[in-house]
Amino acid sequence: MNKPFTPILALLLMLTTVSSCKDEAKPTATETKTVNPVAPPIIPEAPEGMVWVAKKTFLQGAKDTDQYAMPREKPAHMVTVDGFFIDATEVTNKQFKAFVEATNYVTIAEREIDWEEMKKELPPNTPKPHDSILQPGSLIFNKDVNAVANMENYGQWWTWKTGANWRHPEGPESTIEGKDNFPVVHVAYQDAIAYCEWANRRLPTEAEWESAAQGTNANSIFTWGDNPEVLDANANTWQGVFPTKNDSKDGFEFISPVKSYPANSIGLYDMTGNVWEITNDFFNVNYYKELDRSHALVNPKGAEKHFNPNNPYQIEHVMKGGSFLCHASYCASFRISAKMGVSMDSGSDHMGFRTVATPEMLKSEE
């Protein structure tokens, strides 16, 4: 599916719709109890730039005390996830550039648009946009918006920018020169998959992503714990009035270099804020409601089918972590359980990805 047009689809669709154990017996005075020390777990050597996430059982989904939790994040349920490696940061411009130079890959945002293919994913009788709109490009945040009439109409702060892509994140006149350590953006699910195939990596499942975000915790709301008061010190999000004024109390008005904020308890950066991160799971708003919660799920891979009543015509995947645009008054997606759906061929200036690898995958490199 090489369809570089889903960001346009999102804008067009807006026009047609206006989100146990027993106690051990104590030894008597005449007994001597021998205790065998437990050997520490063996942690595999991590590839450069990756971090080991140990196997654990934790609570996936919205926590009872999370005031921002949305229906699609409920009910919370126990999952067990085996150990794996994950990138310490989002994939950077430098890393993605190496991939493109090695493969001559062309991202979806750089490809010509085919209206005949595009309209197959739109409601019947959707009028064709003017040819000036049907040009390669991507969605960017409208930094000039100064008033919003209806917060349900996200088209007020998003604009289609011809010529916007990973090389030119704000349009054809912009550049990533000097920004090697910024997360790559304007990459769609299909682009991320292509990178993974080249790098012998894969996208994380949503359960793996949450396991990594929890770090050494098992049921925290945020990557650092449960205290919302320290958000600004730990993540690049929006402060002030969204989307018209960002006070930049966290140090950045928009996207920031990776590692600009403290890592979580196992050394992962930007699992909250900066840019959304694509996972491999289908986005299905009913998935958690339909789960069998009588036991912990083992290495769940998400819903079997995608389902989003607000976007029924396209295949969507789960993205996690929120971005520099997240604010309490709007999406509040700076929480571990937060999620949104993104179409397979959709990119924007606040979405990127990070990859994972298992020991088994790495053996194939030997």
Side-chain angles (χ1 to χ4, degrees):
M1 295 175 59
N2 297 329
K3 303 188 290 285
F5 43 68
T6 303
I8 300 180
L9 293 183
L11 294 178
L12 291 173
L13 287 168
M14 268 195 317
L15 302 177
T16 62
T17 63
V18 177
S19 186
S20 133
C21 49
K22 298 179 180 179
D23 292 333
E24 296 182 357
K26 296 181 179 179
T28 65
T30 58
E31 286 181 317
T32 299
K33 184 175 181 180
T34 301
V35 178
N36 295 320
V38 178
I42 298 175
I43 301 176
E45 182 178 355
E48 182 179 359
M50 301 192 88
V51 171
W52 176 250
V53 183
K55 176 180 180 177
K56 67 170 175 284
T57 298
F58 66 98
L59 189 66
Q60 181 179 11
K63 312 308 180 282
D64 290 341
T65 55
D66 186 351
Q67 61 178 317
Y68 298 115
M70 298 184 182
R72 58 177 175 259
E73 304 168 32
K74 302 176 181 180
H77 50 282
M78 299 304 295
V79 299
T80 298
V81 176
D82 289 339
F84 60 95
F85 296 102
I86 189 168
D87 293 334
T89 72
E90 295 126 345
V91 173
T92 63
N93 286 324
K94 181 179 181 179
Q95 292 171 309
F96 199 79
K97 181 179 180 181
F99 156 62
V100 171
E101 290 180 344
T103 62
N104 295 316
Y105 182 81
V106 179
T107 62
I108 288 177
E110 299 171 281
R111 302 176 196 171
E112 294 298 324
I113 296 173
D114 184 340
W115 170 247
E116 293 304 314
E117 287 295 318
M118 178 181 181
K119 68 182 183 181
K120 294 177 182 178
E121 298 187 4
L122 288 166
N125 302 316
T126 298
K128 179 183 177 181
H130 191 275
D131 287 343
S132 63
I133 300 296
L134 292 178
Q135 300 296 322
S138 189
L139 284 175
I140 66 170
F141 176 71
N142 179 9
K143 298 177 181 178
D144 297 323
V145 60
N146 53 30
V148 172
N150 177 5
M151 289 297 289
E152 297 298 319
N153 180 8
Y154 53 84
Q156 295 171 100
W157 56 87
W158 285 109
T159 184
W160 174 260
K161 188 71 171 181
T162 298
N165 54 56
W166 75 274
R167 300 177 193 270
H168 307 287
E170 296 180 37
E173 303 303 319
S174 63
T175 179
I176 58 171
E177 185 176 349
K179 296 183 177 181
D180 280 354
N181 63 336
F182 279 65
V184 66
V185 292
H186 296 297
V187 286
Y189 173 86
Q190 294 180 35
D191 301 324
I193 291 296
Y195 176 93
C196 287
E197 291 174 350
W198 170 76
N200 189 33
R201 301 290 186 263
R202 63 172 173 79
L203 292 177
T205 64
E206 183 179 11
E208 286 174 332
W209 192 96
E210 287 203 16
S211 178
Q214 287 283 351
T216 56
N217 299 323
N219 62 352
S220 295
I221 296 175
F222 308 103
T223 58
W224 56 87
D226 294 325
N227 182 6
E229 301 301 322
V230 296
L231 171 65
D232 295 349
N234 284 277
N236 180 9
T237 59
W238 189 281
Q239 300 87 48
V241 180
F242 182 83
T244 58
K245 179 178 174 53
N246 190 346
D247 294 334
S248 306
K249 293 179 181 178
D250 57 10
F252 294 91
E253 186 174 10
F254 302 112
I255 195 171
S256 59
V258 298
K259 296 187 177 182
S260 293
Y261 298 83
N264 76 347
S265 56
I266 58 173
L268 299 178
Y269 296 86
D270 294 319
M271 293 295 281
T272 295
N274 211 19
V275 297
W276 283 96
E277 300 181 12
I278 310 167
T279 74
N280 201 55
D281 291 18
F282 284 132
F283 181 69
N284 186 321
V285 298
N286 295 327
Y287 172 53
Y288 286 0
K289 299 181 183 70
E290 297 170 350
L291 290 174
D292 177 2
R293 293 184 291 128
S294 63
H295 60 279
L297 303 178
V298 179
N299 297 320
K301 292 180 169 53
E304 294 183 0
K305 297 180 179 180
H306 59 92
F307 176 65
N308 181 358
N310 295 322
N311 189 12
Y313 297 94
Q314 298 170 319
I315 298 173
E316 292 188 330
H317 287 262
V318 171
M319 58 180 182
K320 302 283 290 183
S323 78
F324 63 85
L325 295 176
C326 284
H327 186 263
S329 68
Y330 186 58
C331 69
S333 292
F334 34 67
R335 302 162 296 106
I336 293 175
S337 64
K339 65 169 92 178
M340 290 186 69
V342 62
S343 299
M344 292 179 64
D345 42 17
S346 178
S348 69
D349 64 354
H350 75 145
M351 188 179 76
F353 70 105
R354 74 178 73 209
T355 72
V356 304
T358 63
E360 291 74 22
M361 291 172 64
L362 298 177
K363 287 179 182 178
S364 66
E365 297 180 353
E366 299 175 356

